[in-house]
Amino acid sequence: MSRALFVIPQRLLSIVRCNQVPLITRHSSKMSEQAESNIVKGADSWFNKYTAVESSPEGTFKGVKDRFNGITVDSCMETCSPESFPTVLKRSLEHWIQSKHRGIWFKVHLTAASWIPELVNNGFQFHHAKNSFVMMYRWLPTDETANIPPYSHTMVGVGALVINDRNQVLVVSENNALIVGSWKLPGGYVEPNENFIDAAIREVTEETNIRTKFESVISIRHAHGAGFGCSDLYIVMALTPLSEEITKCNREIAKCEWMNVDEYLSHPKVHETNRNFVRTYLEYKRHGLRIDCTEEMHQVLRKRYNIYSIAKLPEGGNDTSSSSSTNTTLKL
């Protein structure tokens, strides 16, 4: 139920006055139609199903309504002075409680940071924050347990197992490695809205300048207590090299080379878990198996998904479909 930026339709935007004193200003969007369309179709529009609040009592926030009967107020869309905010918040909460709304969300941008102490004083809690805003919430019903999911709690990273025709594996030694001088697979964290495969290909290119294509998922490692106290999901996949001349990223990588697989499997500076990734890959090859990726389309939501599943390699072990496997779109 994490929230993304949304746009309030222009027909909702007006100036609310109490006793002829403007308390809340609802701002018209200056965005182009293209930008507005992108946001309306953004990350959580299909999930929260935001709808317009047609009217609200004078001197209260309007916000938008979600499919869980909650309200979200965005401080960039409805501004209120620090002096007026306590009164407007009190009136709004009274209205929302009377209307039996459930979760109330305030997306507070830096320009409205003065709202935060008053929200805390009125029972709001922090849910998540980014560079330019903090999202706060309060659960209004007293007869049901708060049904607010936690914000993202798992960091996702990828590792790339790249083996060339000479049975050599691409390895890197990082400048800031936990174990100085150790060898590992290229990889890093997945960026927002990035597919696992694209992340692995990008990381290899950034760290070594080697171009690759997807071959198979190999393993998934799951751990807890990683950065920022989050859990950690590490997805290792095999990539086929399309080039072999290394140009390392000096900012991140101390050393980079093609290492014989046999040497890698016995090297004292290679962690046993990393050796097992290679052993697993070789076992897949021996049995003619791989974990493939297929892009599918949900018939109702019209959202694309990547589905990973076991596939049998054709006779002879040479598969030419991996580079185009995600081009096939199926329907769920």
Side-chain angles (χ1 to χ4, degrees):
M1 202 184 294
S2 56
R3 308 298 163 112
L5 182 63
F6 51 84
V7 176
I8 300 177
Q10 289 190 356
R11 60 192 175 85
L12 297 179
L13 309 178
S14 61
I15 295 179
V16 177
R17 297 179 180 274
C18 294
N19 300 324
Q20 302 304 310
V21 178
L23 295 181
I24 309 169
T25 302
R26 299 192 174 98
H27 298 277
S28 297
S29 171
K30 305 298 183 183
M31 293 182 298
S32 66
E33 290 184 6
Q34 179 64 39
E36 184 174 28
S37 175
N38 288 342
I39 291 177
V40 168
K41 296 177 181 178
D44 67 347
S45 60
W46 67 275
F47 181 80
N48 287 312
K49 298 290 185 184
Y50 293 120
T51 57
V53 175
E54 296 296 339
S55 63
S56 62
E58 208 169 83
T60 65
F61 287 109
K62 183 176 287 187
V64 294
K65 183 179 176 181
D66 61 44
R67 67 187 175 102
F68 305 101
N69 197 29
I71 295 289
T72 300
V73 175
D74 187 325
S75 70
C76 275
M77 302 307 296
E78 297 182 80
T79 58
C80 181
S81 71
E83 296 76 21
S84 301
F85 184 73
T87 300
V88 175
L89 178 61
K90 181 176 183 294
R91 290 174 180 169
S92 300
L93 286 170
E94 289 172 350
H95 167 62
W96 291 328
I97 291 171
Q98 184 178 9
S99 302
K100 298 188 182 302
H101 286 295
R102 301 170 80 217
I104 306 299
W105 300 81
F106 270 78
K107 186 173 187 176
V108 185
H109 297 264
L110 293 175
T111 53
S114 60
W115 293 7
I116 294 174
E118 190 63 27
L119 286 166
V120 171
N121 290 337
N122 279 271
F124 282 79
Q125 300 181 56
F126 297 107
H127 188 264
H128 64 275
K130 293 193 175 180
N131 290 345
S132 61
F133 73 88
V134 61
M135 185 70 87
M136 302 182 69
Y137 75 94
R138 175 177 163 182
W139 183 256
L140 295 185
T142 58
D143 58 348
E144 59 177 310
T145 305
N147 192 26
I148 303 292
Y151 191 57
S152 302
H153 50 75
T154 299
M155 302 182 75
V156 181
V158 291
L161 176 58
V162 184
I163 297 181
N164 63 21
D165 292 336
R166 298 189 301 279
N167 206 34
Q168 295 172 318
V169 58
L170 182 64
V171 294
V172 298
S173 182
E174 296 177 332
N175 289 327
N176 301 305
L178 290 172
I179 303 174
V180 178
S182 60
W183 292 103
K184 63 180 288 291
L185 303 177
Y189 285 113
V190 178
E191 295 181 352
N193 301 311
E194 185 178 37
N195 294 330
F196 300 149
I197 293 172
D198 295 335
I201 291 173
R202 173 185 55 77
E203 285 289 346
V204 172
T205 302
E206 290 177 355
E207 295 183 1
T208 72
N209 202 38
I210 300 294
R211 295 181 297 108
T212 58
K213 66 176 182 178
F214 173 71
E215 182 180 344
S216 173
V217 174
I218 301 301
S219 298
I220 298 176
R221 185 199 68 197
H222 193 202
H224 306 287
F228 309 107
C230 293
S231 297
D232 182 79
L233 199 62
Y234 181 62
I235 302 165
V236 180
M237 56 190 70
L239 303 179
T240 301
L242 301 176
S243 63
E244 293 199 22
E245 184 176 348
I246 295 172
T247 304
K248 72 180 179 70
C249 172
N250 293 323
R251 182 169 61 90
E252 296 185 33
I253 306 300
K255 297 181 294 183
C256 179
E257 66 179 60
W258 290 102
M259 182 181 291
N260 289 332
V261 168
D262 289 341
E263 180 185 357
Y264 183 82
L265 291 175
S266 60
H267 201 294
K269 289 288 189 175
V270 175
H271 192 280
E272 183 63 21
T273 302
N274 283 320
R275 294 179 187 145
N276 281 333
F277 293 145
V278 174
R279 295 188 187 111
T280 301
Y281 169 72
L282 295 176
E283 190 69 7
Y284 285 0
K285 294 284 281 186
R286 190 170 72 85
H287 289 284
L289 299 174
R290 69 188 183 107
I291 300 177
D292 201 1
C293 176
T294 303
E295 184 181 83
E296 302 186 356
M297 172 80 74
H298 196 288
Q299 285 181 306
V300 177
L301 300 176
R302 307 306 298 170
K303 285 182 61 65
R304 294 183 181 276
Y305 298 94
N306 285 337
I307 305 296
Y308 296 86
S309 54
I310 296 175
K312 185 77 173 174
L313 290 173
E315 290 297 325
N318 294 321
D319 182 20
T320 59
S321 65
S322 61
S323 61
S324 60
S325 61
T326 57
N327 293 333
T328 302
T329 302
L330 305 178
K331 294 181 179 180
L332 289 174

